């Protein structure tokens, strides 16, 4: 028996959705469905020790992503979701809607919450204030400088902190991940001293980045990544803090001459599912998602860290100079004064949501300390031995390595 989890909406709701999508420049399939709806069981009789599945229901789930169809971000999502489908005999089919074709980055979480989509990939720098504790990764100068470290930290935060579990409670969390670190990139001016930041307008993402860049003496211009190419090309902004994966996804390397290889911050990202959708899957399909949670997070860390080489290669082909800050500039960028300022920013930010900000910060920092050294740039990156996302070996290899 075939069962589809899709959107079955009343005519008025469909018309409303179509008008809404037209207004934001998105398009969607003309077929309607009821995301996460229940149906009769498709279980077959148990056959004892047989290796064949006792479940026969099939599912079609709608996935939305604002990254382009050719981006590594979309490739990652499609690859890991296919692994999950394979784990339950291919009974889950995903309808992919990349490039914001169904919902933009700012709309996706609400679309999943309301059931207009089943799953999405997104970032907390886009959904500021929705998952505030998880924004810890976004705060500069916390020592988190690789996606692999960020992924380990964020998953342990989720697994051990009730407050983090609560902020994700409306969704089924497929995985949480750290994204690439974000270097400084500049259109035409090579920033080599602290005073070089003065007078520059720098694009930032999210409030944490903005607070840091402002403290450096530059002007802050917050905008979506899709707007950055034009803004950099026309001189509206002279620099940007965009992670390696976004620089590649939106071809932003074409707009810069200099890239400072310094990790401003990482970003917490996620794949989430409508909770009713998950609850209406049979136990075997649910188990396929459950068993891949840490795998998907670790895979994301590897993929995003490899983008430092993937994007770096493209930059070098175009003549972009990738450079490391001098010791003097690095000392300024990571000074105790700025570190304290960013720490206090996060504590105040948590206080604003009614938490004990100091306690939340201390717990997050204790978790981060377990992984920062092991997954430091010095241990993850080796300029003589670059790695690429194509080298990820898959679920079986991950299970063998992780016991």
């Amino acid at each position: 028996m075939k069962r589809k989890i899709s959107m079955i909406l009343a005519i008025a709701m469909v018309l409303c959705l179509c008008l809404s999508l037209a207004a934001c420049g998105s398009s969607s399939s003309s077929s309607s469905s009821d995301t996460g709806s229940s149906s009769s069981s498709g279980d077959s009789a148990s056959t004892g020790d047989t290796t064949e599945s006792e479940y026969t229901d099939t599912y079609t789930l709608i996935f939305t992503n604002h990254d382009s169809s050719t981006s590594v971000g979309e490739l990652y999502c499609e690859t890991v979701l296919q692994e999950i489908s394979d784990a339950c005999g291919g009974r889950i089919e995903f309808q992919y809607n990349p490039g914001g074709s169904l919902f933009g980055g700012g709309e996706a979480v609400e679309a999943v919450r309301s059931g207009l989509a089943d799953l999405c990939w997104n970032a907390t720098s886009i959904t500021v204030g929705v998952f505030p504790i998880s924004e810890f990764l976004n705060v500069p100068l916390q020592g988190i400088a690789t996606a692999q470290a960020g992924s380990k930290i964020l998953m342990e935060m989720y697994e051990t902190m009730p407050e983090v579990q609560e902020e994700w409670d409306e969704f089924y969390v497929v995985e949480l991940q750290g994204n690439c670190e974000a270097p400084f990139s500049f259109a035409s001016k090579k920033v080599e001293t602290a005073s070089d930041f003065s007078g520059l307008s720098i694009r930032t993402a999210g409030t944490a980045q903005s607070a840091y860049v402002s403290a450096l003496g530059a002007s802050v211009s917050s905008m979506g990544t899709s707007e950055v190419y034009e803004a950099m090309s026309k001189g509206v902004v002279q620099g940007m803090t965009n992670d390696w994966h976004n620089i590649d996804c939106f071809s932003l390397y074409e707009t810069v001459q200099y890239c400072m290889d310094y990790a401003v911050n990482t970003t917490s990202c996620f794949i989430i599912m409508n909770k009713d959708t998950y609850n209406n899957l049979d136990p075997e399909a649910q188990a396929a998602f459950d068993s891949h949670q840490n795998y998907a997070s670790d895979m994301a860390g590897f993929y995003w860290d490899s983008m430092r080489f993937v994007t770096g290669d493209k930059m070098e082909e175009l003549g972009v100079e990738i450079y490391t800050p001098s010791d003097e500039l690095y000392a300024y960028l990571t000074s105790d004064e700025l570190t304290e300022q960013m720490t206090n920013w996060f504590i105040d930010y948590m206080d604003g949501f009614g938490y004990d900000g100091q306690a939340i910060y201390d717990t997050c920092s204790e978790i981060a300390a377990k992984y920062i050294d092991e997954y430091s740039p010095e241990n993850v990156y080796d300029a003589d031995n670059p790695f690429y996302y194509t080298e990820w070996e898959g679920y079986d290899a991950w299970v063998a390595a992780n016991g």
Side-chain angles (χ1 to χ4, degrees), residues 349-365:
Y349 187 55
M350 291 296 96
D351 288 340
F353 287 94
Y355 296 112
D356 180 339
Q358 185 67 59
I360 292 291
Y361 174 78
D362 290 343
T363 302
C364 292
S365 296

Side-chain angles (χ1 to χ4, degrees), residues 191-333:
V191 171
E192 297 182 277
T193 66
S195 62
D196 286 341
F197 282 101
S198 179
L200 289 182
S201 178
I202 296 179
R203 177 270 179 183
T204 62
T207 51
Q209 271 193 7
S210 297
Y212 177 65
V213 170
S214 180
L216 294 177
S219 298
V220 169
S221 181
S222 185
M223 66 180 71
T225 307
S226 60
E227 304 171 67
V228 177
Y229 192 105
E230 183 176 5
M232 288 284 288
S233 299
K234 294 184 176 180
V236 176
V237 294
Q238 295 81 49
M240 63 179 176
T241 54
N242 243 308
D243 65 70
W244 294 105
H245 129 270
N246 264 343
I247 293 172
D248 177 69
C249 179
F250 293 88
S251 302
L252 299 178
Y253 42 73
E254 296 175 353
T255 69
V256 303
Q257 293 185 31
Y258 301 100
C259 178
M260 184 194 297
D261 191 3
Y262 160 74
V264 176
N265 69 323
T266 55
T267 303
S268 49
C269 298
F270 51 88
I271 299 177
I272 53 175
M273 185 192 300
N274 178 276
K275 207 161 191 178
D276 288 338
T277 297
Y278 174 80
N279 289 336
N280 285 317
L281 298 173
D282 62 53
E284 184 182 69
Q286 290 180 345
F289 280 98
D290 297 345
S291 64
H292 282 74
Q293 191 176 61
N294 283 287
Y295 164 78
S297 180
D298 286 354
M299 178 181 172
F302 183 92
Y303 263 55
W304 302 146
D305 280 337
S306 79
M307 292 306 294
R308 186 173 185 262
F309 298 111
V310 173
T311 307
D313 289 349
K314 294 179 180 180
M315 282 184 168
E316 291 176 355
E317 288 174 6
L318 292 175
V320 176
E321 180 182 344
I322 302 174
Y323 68 102
T324 55
S326 65
D327 291 344
E328 182 181 3
L329 179 55
Y330 182 80
Y332 170 70
L333 294 170

Side-chain angles (χ1 to χ4, degrees), residues 19-85:
L19 290 173
S20 173
L21 293 176
C24 66
S26 300
S27 62
S28 67
S29 171
S30 60
S31 63
S32 61
S33 56
D34 184 1
T35 301
S37 63
S38 61
S39 72
S40 60
S41 171
D43 300 359
S44 60
S46 173
T47 54
D49 295 332
T50 179
T51 58
E52 292 183 5
S53 171
E54 63 179 303
Y55 300 100
T56 58
D57 281 352
T58 60
Y59 306 91
T60 300
L61 306 185
I62 297 170
F63 177 82
T64 181
N65 185 7
H66 60 277
D67 270 10
S68 69
S69 60
T70 58
S71 69
V72 175
E74 177 66 12
L75 174 64
Y76 159 76
C77 292
E78 293 187 15
T79 302
V80 78
L81 291 177
Q82 185 60 52
E83 287 269 12
I84 291 170
S85 178

Side-chain angles (χ1 to χ4, degrees), residues 35 62-66 102-131 167-173 176 268-275:
T35 301
I62 297 170
F63 177 82
T64 181
N65 185 7
H66 60 277
L102 188 57
F103 295 102
E107 305 163 317
V109 168
E110 184 55 37
V112 172
R113 189 199 311 273
S114 64
L116 296 177
D118 292 300
L119 307 97
C120 76
W121 181 86
N122 217 311
T124 58
S125 59
I126 297 174
T127 61
V128 172
V130 179
F131 312 106
E167 70 180 14
W168 294 97
D169 188 57
E170 291 184 84
F171 305 93
Y172 173 78
V173 173
L176 303 177
S268 49
C269 298
F270 51 88
I271 299 177
I272 53 175
M273 185 192 300
N274 178 276
K275 207 161 191 178

Side-chain angles (χ1 to χ4, degrees), residues 365-388:
S365 296
E366 288 172 7
I367 293 172
K370 298 179 183 181
Y371 302 103
I372 285 174
D373 289 340
E374 181 179 358
Y375 296 98
S376 67
E378 292 77 16
N379 288 330
V380 168
Y381 300 124
D382 181 352
D384 295 327
N385 295 288
F387 60 93
Y388 302 88

Side-chain angles (χ1 to χ4, degrees), residues 142-176:
Q142 302 310 304
I144 308 169
T146 67
Q148 291 174 62
S151 294
K152 292 288 189 183
I153 293 164
L154 191 56
M155 281 304 301
E156 183 163 336
M157 286 170 56
Y158 176 67
E159 290 166 352
T160 63
M161 295 177 66
E163 300 90 345
V164 177
Q165 294 166 7
E166 183 178 358
E167 70 180 14
W168 294 97
D169 188 57
E170 291 184 84
F171 305 93
Y172 173 78
V173 173
V174 178
E175 56 89 24
L176 303 177

